[in-house]
Amino acid sequence: MASDLDAANTANTAALTLNTTLKSQHADALWRIEADAKNRSADLRQAKANAKKTLEASQVRNKALSTEVRALKEAVQEWQQTAAVAVEERDEANKREKMSRFAAVAGVGAVLLFSALA
């Protein structure tokens, strides 16, 4: 019976030692898991902040580009209007030139006609 008690005490001591070891390993694993979770949470917060900054920068750039595009459209519109006015003025100048040539030819013709009649 004494040997049975010794064997039970030895088994109990081994079980307690194993239990203590497992508790320690469990505590270490739990600490690592919690640390990883905190790190992931911090990484996610940082990623979210970075994404927000990137989005804000993109929105600012888009707004600047929209302003540039609007200004370019207005410049093109003004250029088209200026070009249309220039073409119109050129056409009118050509008409005046043709009319003045016709008038000069008619005047010379009239002078020749009157001198031939005289």
Side-chain angles (χ1 to χ4, degrees):
M1 182 135 139
S3 65
D4 288 341
L5 284 177
D6 287 339
N9 281 337
T10 304
N12 193 24
T13 303
L16 286 174
T17 303
L18 179 61
N19 191 24
T20 303
T21 302
L22 290 176
K23 278 184 182 179
S24 175
Q25 288 175 351
H26 177 72
D28 288 346
L30 185 60
W31 179 83
R32 279 191 217 102
I33 289 170
E34 289 173 350
D36 286 346
K38 287 178 184 176
N39 287 339
R40 274 189 243 121
S41 178
D43 290 345
L44 288 174
R45 277 194 304 276
Q46 185 63 41
K48 183 179 177 181
N50 290 344
K52 185 176 179 181
K53 287 177 186 177
T54 302
L55 177 63
E56 289 170 356
S58 176
Q59 289 172 338
V60 167
R61 180 68 179 142
N62 285 344
K63 187 175 180 179
L65 288 173
S66 294
T67 303
E68 284 183 43
V69 167
R70 196 174 313 112
L72 287 172
K73 284 182 180 179
E74 290 172 6
V76 166
Q77 215 170 25
E78 288 175 17
W79 177 84
Q80 287 174 335
Q81 290 172 351
T82 302
V85 168
V87 167
E88 203 173 293
E89 288 176 356
R90 183 196 68 203
D91 290 346
E92 288 178 17
N94 286 341
K95 285 180 187 176
R96 284 193 301 273
E97 185 180 335
K98 286 179 183 177
M99 292 299 287
S100 66
R101 284 183 191 164
F102 177 75
V105 169
V108 170
V111 168
L112 291 175
L113 181 64
F114 286 126
S115 49
L117 291 175

